[in-house]
């Protein structure tokens, strides 16, 4: 049996006059272009044995958003298993970040399928601060557990 893929990320949060908001990214590429629900994610990415989840979370934040990960107290939000079997580990950090200052990394894939054409797409095509209700509506289903765990720390 093969080991499940592992991914790690950082969930930024901030306190506003309207309560806590979290920074999520809308996944780029053609599969998510017209989707909203289930198409937003904690900035994260896969890592291999030999790299710690914490190192990967910070590296992936930089790769996905094009800005250095913030320093600050990291709250361990644990891990979840997504429907695709991937295990995702996330830490939350209180920080403010201008979504307009991000410069997401890119990936390439054949598109349209079986066309032989390789196209480049942003890892995240939008980055936004969302309140808990809106975040829950659009985040990858398994990752909603991170919102619950963060609420336990910020209430």
């Amino acid at each position: 049996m093969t080991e499940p893929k592992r991914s790690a990320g950082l969930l930024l949060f901030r306190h506003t006059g309207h309560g806590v908001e979290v920074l999520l990214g809308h996944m780029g590429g053609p599969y998510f272009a017209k989707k909203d629900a289930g198409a937003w994610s904690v900035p994260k990415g896969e890592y291999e044995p030999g790299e710690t989840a914490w190192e990967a979370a910070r590296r992936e934040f930089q790769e996905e958003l094009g800005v250095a990960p913030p320093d600050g107290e990291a709250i361990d939000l644990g891990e979840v298993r997504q429907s695709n079997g991937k295990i995702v580990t996330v830490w939350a950090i209180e920080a403010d970040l201008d979504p307009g200052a991000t410069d997401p990394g890119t990936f390439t894939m054949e598109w349209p399928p079986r066309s032989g054409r390789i196209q480049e797409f942003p890892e995240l095509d939008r980055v936004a601060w969302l309140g808990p209700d809106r975040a829950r509506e659009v985040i990858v289903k398994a990752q909603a557990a991170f919102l619950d765990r963060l609420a336990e720390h910020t209430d």
Side-chain angles (χ1 to χ4, degrees):
M1 189 170 138
T2 60
E3 281 287 311
K5 290 186 177 180
R6 293 189 163 270
S7 190
L10 298 179
L11 177 62
L12 298 193
F13 69 98
R14 67 182 182 184
H15 293 274
T16 71
H18 306 291
V20 173
E21 293 181 332
V22 293
L23 187 74
L24 297 180
H26 183 271
M27 293 182 273
Y31 294 119
F32 299 101
K34 294 180 174 24
K35 293 181 180 161
D36 202 35
W40 291 76
S41 175
V42 172
K44 61 169 185 48
E46 291 181 12
Y47 65 99
E48 300 295 328
E51 183 178 26
T52 70
W54 174 248
E55 291 167 339
R58 293 186 58 81
R59 176 182 51 75
E60 285 293 335
F61 187 92
Q62 175 88 44
E63 288 178 14
E64 297 251 322
L65 297 178
V67 294
D71 292 321
E73 180 186 349
I75 301 167
D76 185 350
L77 298 181
E79 60 183 38
V80 299
R81 182 181 294 268
Q82 296 184 161
S83 59
N84 62 4
K86 184 183 290 181
I87 296 172
V88 181
T89 305
V90 167
W91 287 267
I93 296 179
E94 185 170 4
D96 204 351
L97 176 76
D98 176 3
T102 62
D103 183 19
T106 60
F107 68 96
T108 57
M109 66 181 282
E110 182 181 18
W111 189 260
R114 298 177 294 287
S115 67
R117 291 181 51 214
I118 302 298
Q119 294 192 47
E120 188 173 67
F121 299 96
E123 295 266 1
L124 301 172
D125 58 21
R126 284 176 275 158
V127 178
W129 287 102
L130 304 172
D133 292 342
R134 179 71 179 133
R136 190 171 306 287
E137 290 172 4
V138 298
I139 198 167
V140 172
K141 192 173 185 177
Q143 292 181 27
F146 297 130
L147 301 176
D148 296 337
R149 294 171 194 169
L150 176 62
E152 293 171 11
H153 289 276
T154 57
D155 285 345

